[in-house]
Each structure stands twice: as structure tokens, then as C-alpha cells.
Amino acid sequence: MGAAYDHSLAEAAAERGDWATAIAMVSEFSESYSSDHNRHSLHLWHMDLLVKAGLLAELAELARTDTPARRRLDRFLFEDGRDGELRQRAEHGDKLALYYLVRLLRGRGEQTAARQAVADINPADTYAVELANQDPG
């Protein structure tokens, strides 16, 4: 590692939308599941910065092996209403993507589509079945 981490400089870069600088500063000191809670927190912030910067391909690459990156990508896809991408991730075994897909479809009032998605992707996932079959509320 080079210089010490300066949170105020990283925050200032993020506040002005200088994503490249903020990401570079944070990523140097971030560490997924570190025993140092500050490094783990920086890792989570790093994932958020990637979303804000629109660097979804980079986030998706990290998500292949990094659980916090996968969770952040799935949450972004849910929040952005990207059911097709959630479905694709769920079809490749991402259970959280399946749960978000079901919630997204149900939130749109598409209960039948939510049930069908579970039936198509993982009918043995009891939590997904339960989510898909909840009464609309």
C-alpha cells in the first residue's frame, strides 16, 4: 500500500462525481470480509461507487467471486427494474437474484409471472415459492 487512506478526500471526490478518483482511493484500501471492519466497510462503499459510476461490467466481473459485489449488483438490478437481467442471473444459480426477480414482478402486480419464474428457475426453492405465493398486499 502507498499513502494512508484519507476518507475526507475520497468523500469529496464522490460528492463532486469524480468516480474514478473516489474508486481508486477506496479500492486500494478495501477488502471483502476483512477482519478489519473499516476495510470491509470500504469494500461495500467501493461496490456502491461502482454502481454510481455506471461501471456495471466491472461490478459484474467482481460479482463472479465476491459475495458483496453480487449482492450489490442484484440489488441495483432490482431497484432499476431489470427483470431480464435478474432472470438471467437467477437461471445461473443466483438465489438472491431469483428472490429480487420475484419481488420485482410481484411489485408490478405480476403474481402469475412471479410464480412462473420460480417454477421455471428453481421450483425446489421453498423461500422463492413462498415469496411468489404470498397474497398481494
Side-chain angles (χ1 to χ4, degrees):
M1 278 188 278
Y5 175 71
D6 187 331
H7 191 72
S8 62
L9 289 177
E11 270 190 334
E15 286 175 11
R16 67 177 179 270
D18 183 355
W19 305 120
T21 299
I23 289 167
M25 293 177 78
V26 170
S27 67
E28 182 179 351
F29 297 94
S30 72
E31 186 179 329
S32 184
Y33 293 115
S34 175
S35 59
D36 177 341
H37 70 87
N38 289 319
R39 286 185 177 271
H40 181 67
S41 292
L42 287 175
H43 182 68
L44 298 177
W45 189 30
H46 179 207
M47 300 305 101
D48 284 339
L49 289 170
L50 291 174
V51 168
K52 290 177 182 177
L55 298 173
L56 300 183
E58 186 175 331
L59 183 59
E61 183 61 32
L62 288 170
R64 295 176 65 184
T65 58
D66 185 281
T67 301
R70 179 183 53 79
R71 289 176 180 158
R72 185 60 184 98
L73 177 60
D74 289 345
R75 189 175 89 223
F76 168 78
L77 296 173
F78 169 75
E79 291 169 347
D80 206 46
R82 297 186 186 196
D83 56 293
E85 291 171 71
L86 283 170
R87 176 180 287 276
Q88 185 177 33
R89 293 182 61 73
E91 288 171 347
H92 286 94
D94 185 338
K95 285 186 173 193
L96 183 60
L98 177 59
Y99 305 152
Y100 275 134
L101 174 62
V102 169
R103 287 186 177 125
L104 179 61
L105 294 171
R106 287 181 43 78
R108 292 178 179 166
E110 300 175 27
Q111 279 71 27
T112 302
R115 287 186 204 101
Q116 189 61 52
V118 173
D120 293 345
I121 297 168
N122 190 352
D125 186 323
T126 56
Y127 182 66
V129 170
E130 182 181 313
L131 277 177
N133 288 306
Q134 287 178 345
D135 289 331

